[in-house]
Amino acid sequence: MAELESVKRSRAGAPSFYDWYGVAILFATSVLGYIDRVILSFLAEPIKASLALSDWQVGAVTGAAFALLYVFGGVFIGRQLDRGRRIAILSLCILTWSLATAASGLATGFVALFVARMFVGVGEAGLNPAAIGIISSRFPQDRLQKPIGLFTTGLYVGGGLAMMLGAQLLARFAAGGPYDLPFLKDAEPWRLVFLLLALPGVGLAFLLWLSVKDGAPSRAEDKRSGGDALAFAKANRRPLTLLALSIIAWSMNNYGLLNWYPAMLMRSHDMTPAMVASTYGPAFLFAGVGGCLFAHPCHRALKRKSGDKAAYHLCFAAMSMLSLTTIVGPLMPTVAGAVAMAFVNLFVSALSVTAVFILLVTIVPPALRGQYTGLYMALVNLTGGAFGSVLVGLLTDRLFGAERLDLALSTMAFAFGSPAALLMFLATRPRNAVLAPKAAPLPA
């Protein structure tokens, strides 16, 4: 009953302490999820050497493997989340990706690692749809930007900690390795990193399940079904198509940047993993968090000037800036310049990620947000997540050579970044307005 009263107070006015506690647990879940997800990109070079992988195989396990089940899991889980039991489903998802992270540390070849990362993907498929649904159920529509921005910072806190913590663990384990484990002889240090990082997920899954309660949906929300989702898509075919194409192009550029920039610093500037962890790790953490939190005041300022189009204009501005900074960043001739541009790129990348989430909750009716968040995450992971990393690897394997990863990243930014911004600009035109009478736009 206390939780239900908390929900009523949240919908009527200021959110309660318990509502913010729920956001804090979801933030911690996001941090853990992105540590388990991003750590592979930081460990790519030692894994490549240990398992004798090519660049396209590294791209496959960092991108396509994760995306394969993430796509199907995201759509199915999103629909289940809109029907209720979001806490239980998310708890099960956390356990799944944690066990799969441990399995990644036990992989003895490309296929085994690929399969393990697939199950990390299916576990994490429920994270964003569940979190957006839980937050939407506990906060009124006009107060969603801030908790969504705070939740989104988990991506960059997790990514930054993955690199910094991963480097510390890698260095510590390397000093005493290889290790003879009961189930694996002569285990390299990178394997122990995976095994150790899998442990916190079990505790967090039970903490979430026992201490966080989902907000009660309204009767109108309870009656929503997949037919409503399809009707919404048909009524908004043109604007949703433009938005989908823009997001696809943006994700191809963004995922290539996030998955390959650390390796580019090592190859183009002879940085060691420890050097990357001490420079790119803080960039990922602090610039990423700054970009997420900056989205709220930006949206509020744009709201005063452009009204209901504020979320679109924020996405357009962020994607336009990202298209420029990701071309320049990899081509910087000095270590200092490349690291400085990493801060800029990650700030703008985080701003764009949060802007897209704000746009999503602006245009999609509350009862359909689980499904559409799942579809959105499936879309970006099926395209940018699956093929962005692979395409960068193919560009180095077949065209530029392994040492010119910088050219491959800049080529991706030129090919996909600018079209993403252009398509988002077209989506802001009045004739492309989304018809969503049940989803009032976010006020300042």
Side-chain angles (χ1 to χ4, degrees):
M1 291 298 295
E3 289 82 4
L4 292 178
E5 290 301 318
S6 171
V7 174
K8 292 176 182 177
R9 286 196 302 271
S10 289
R11 286 177 171 172
S16 69
F17 172 82
Y18 186 81
D19 296 326
W20 286 111
Y21 169 79
V23 174
I25 296 298
L26 292 172
F27 164 79
T29 303
S30 179
V31 170
L32 178 63
Y34 281 99
I35 288 177
D36 290 347
R37 178 173 181 174
V38 174
I39 191 66
L40 181 59
S41 296
F42 177 74
L43 299 175
E45 294 301 306
I47 291 173
K48 178 183 177 182
S50 176
L51 301 183
L53 304 180
S54 66
D55 272 354
W56 81 263
Q57 288 176 318
V58 172
V61 295
T62 57
F66 182 91
L68 194 58
L69 287 185
Y70 191 109
V71 170
F72 299 106
V75 175
F76 174 76
I77 293 172
R79 184 179 178 111
Q80 301 309 308
L81 290 167
D82 282 335
R83 294 175 175 175
R85 300 184 62 82
R86 285 177 282 216
I87 299 297
I89 292 171
L90 181 54
S91 299
L92 181 60
C93 287
I94 298 171
L95 287 175
T96 300
W97 87 57
S98 298
L99 293 174
T101 297
S104 300
L106 303 177
T108 56
F110 169 70
V111 174
L113 183 58
F114 190 94
V115 172
R117 299 312 291 180
M118 284 172 58
F119 281 93
V120 173
V122 74
E124 294 199 18
L127 172 57
N128 287 301
I132 295 298
I134 294 166
I135 291 171
S136 295
S137 75
R138 303 203 69 91
F139 288 79
Q141 179 77 10
D142 63 340
R143 295 175 183 264
L144 283 174
Q145 303 108 307
K146 185 177 290 186
I148 286 175
L150 290 171
F151 166 73
T152 309
T153 62
L155 186 164
Y156 295 93
V157 174
L161 290 178
M163 290 176 223
M164 293 185 285
L165 182 62
Q168 294 294 324
L169 293 175
L170 196 62
R172 178 165 296 187
F173 291 144
Y179 298 84
D180 287 334
L181 302 178
F183 34 77
L184 188 65
K185 297 293 184 181
D186 297 326
E188 297 97 323
W190 64 265
R191 297 183 183 278
L192 274 72
V193 174
F194 276 123
L195 293 172
L196 188 61
L197 292 179
L199 295 177
V202 178
L204 186 57
F206 282 100
L207 179 63
L208 174 73
W209 183 51
L210 294 172
S211 68
V212 177
K213 302 300 180 183
D214 200 357
S218 67
R219 293 181 180 179
E221 291 176 18
D222 285 337
K223 293 179 180 179
R224 296 283 180 168
S225 66
D228 295 294
L230 183 59
F232 178 77
K234 287 182 177 179
N236 296 284
R237 184 181 298 107
R238 180 184 176 88
L240 291 182
T241 298
L242 287 172
L243 290 173
L245 291 174
S246 174
I247 287 170
I248 288 170
W250 162 75
S251 68
M252 291 290 288
N253 181 28
N254 202 36
Y255 272 93
L257 168 78
L258 296 178
N259 288 334
W260 281 104
Y261 206 92
M264 186 278 297
L265 291 174
M266 296 179 198
R267 296 186 193 182
S268 297
H269 300 284
D270 296 322
M271 296 178 68
T272 64
M275 292 172 63
V276 172
S278 64
T279 53
Y280 190 76
F284 205 102
L285 174 58
F286 295 110
V289 170
C292 291
L293 298 181
F294 191 56
H296 179 212
C298 281
H299 179 268
R300 187 171 53 193
L302 287 170
K303 180 74 176 179
R304 289 193 291 266
K305 294 183 177 180
S306 52
D308 295 342
K309 289 293 184 179
Y312 289 94
H313 291 169
L314 181 59
C315 285
F316 169 68
M319 290 181 180
S320 298
M321 289 186 287
L322 190 66
S323 69
L324 295 175
T325 61
T326 49
I327 291 174
V328 174
L331 300 179
M332 296 299 290
T334 65
V335 173
V339 171
M341 285 304 301
F343 276 86
V344 175
N345 281 333
L346 289 165
F347 181 90
V348 180
S349 171
L351 176 63
S352 67
V353 169
T354 310
V356 172
F357 274 120
I358 290 175
L359 178 61
L360 186 68
V361 299
T362 299
I363 65 175
V364 177
L368 301 179
R369 284 178 188 159
Q371 294 179 67
Y372 272 87
T373 304
L375 286 169
Y376 158 69
M377 298 305 301
L379 180 67
V380 297
N381 282 278
L382 179 62
T383 55
F387 298 108
S389 296
V390 174
L391 187 53
V392 172
L394 287 174
L395 286 172
T396 59
D397 285 343
R398 306 293 176 87
L399 185 59
F400 298 120
E403 298 306 314
R404 296 316 307 265
L405 183 54
D406 53 347
L407 288 179
L409 288 175
S410 291
T411 299
M412 289 286 291
F414 178 78
F416 294 103
S418 298
L422 176 61
L423 288 163
M424 184 57 67
F425 173 77
L426 293 176
T428 67
R429 301 297 86 194
R431 63 178 177 175
N432 297 322
V434 171
L435 302 175
K438 296 289 184 180
L442 292 171

